[in-house]
Structures are given as C-alpha cells and as structure tokens.
Amino acid sequence: MFETDKTLQPQLMAFTPRDLVSPESDIWLFIDLFESLDLSRFHKNYRGQGQLAKEPRLMLRTIFYGLTHGIVTGRKLETACRNDNRFIVLSGDLRPDRRTLNRFIERHQKI
C-alpha cells in the first residue's frame, strides 16, 4: 500500500561512513591533500600524558573543509561532525566537540 521508511530496515551488508559519501564529493581531494603533508611540527606539541589527543591530520582537514564551505565557528563544526557524512568522514568519526576544535586552533596558531 505505502512504501515504508527504508532507514528503519536492517541492511544486509555492513558499510562504513565513507560509503555514504559520493565518489564525486570534494572531500576526497582534502583527504588526499592532507595525507601528503608533513605534520611533524604539529606532533611535537603533544606529550604522552592525559587523554588521547585527536590526530592533527583529521582536525586540520575538518577545519579547513569547514572554512572553505562557510562553517567558521566551533559550534557549527561540532554539529557538522555529528550530522553531516562529509564531516564525519573527514574527522575520522571522532566527532570532536567545539572546545576540542577551538583548543586545537589556539594551540597551533603560530605553526
């Protein structure tokens, strides 16, 4: 009679968040670009103490992608990292909160 909501039906095969992003999306350019960068200067700012830090490569590509797409505040980036498949893939599904994003930017402003 009616088509049902397909999002409620279990899937036969497992998939990753990357499968939900179109192969034509511009995020793949950002992923390739940031894989080729030497980020050793970012790594020097961390010590092996306390909570595990987010990988700088994932943070940078998420922040730069947001900036190029008009998302400039920590709150908007946080929301995107939780709800937008492109940002979920870029951030490695780590879902950084606004404080983590803002602290990262503050910590590395001079690099």
Side-chain angles (χ1 to χ4, degrees):
M1 188 166 6
F2 298 105
E3 285 190 11
T4 61
D5 185 353
K6 293 181 181 180
T7 63
L8 299 173
Q9 297 175 3
Q11 301 293 317
L12 289 176
M13 301 179 72
F15 60 90
T16 68
R18 287 178 178 237
D19 296 333
L20 301 174
V21 178
S22 168
E24 291 84 30
S25 176
D26 57 347
I27 71 158
W28 306 116
L29 174 66
F30 279 79
I31 289 173
D32 291 342
L33 173 67
F34 281 92
E35 285 300 318
S36 66
L37 296 178
D38 175 22
L39 300 178
S40 58
R41 292 180 65 189
F42 284 87
H43 291 242
K44 289 179 183 178
N45 285 338
Y46 294 95
R47 293 178 232 152
Q49 299 173 337
Q51 184 178 0
L52 291 175
K54 308 286 192 234
E55 169 65 41
R57 186 175 320 280
L58 301 176
M59 297 293 286
L60 284 169
R61 69 188 191 194
T62 302
I63 292 167
F64 276 92
Y65 188 80
L67 289 171
T68 60
H69 288 77
I71 300 175
V72 295
T73 66
R75 286 187 194 275
K76 288 183 180 180
L77 272 174
E78 176 185 15
T79 300
C81 288
R82 296 185 189 288
N83 300 318
D84 187 327
N85 287 329
R86 297 171 302 166
F87 284 91
I88 291 171
V89 170
L90 286 167
S91 67
D93 201 14
L94 297 179
R95 301 175 189 227
D97 61 15
R98 65 178 167 75
R99 283 176 278 158
T100 302
L101 291 159
N102 291 334
R103 285 182 195 146
F104 181 85
I105 292 168
E106 287 176 26
R107 170 181 258 178
H108 299 292
Q109 277 182 342
K110 295 180 183 177
I111 290 183

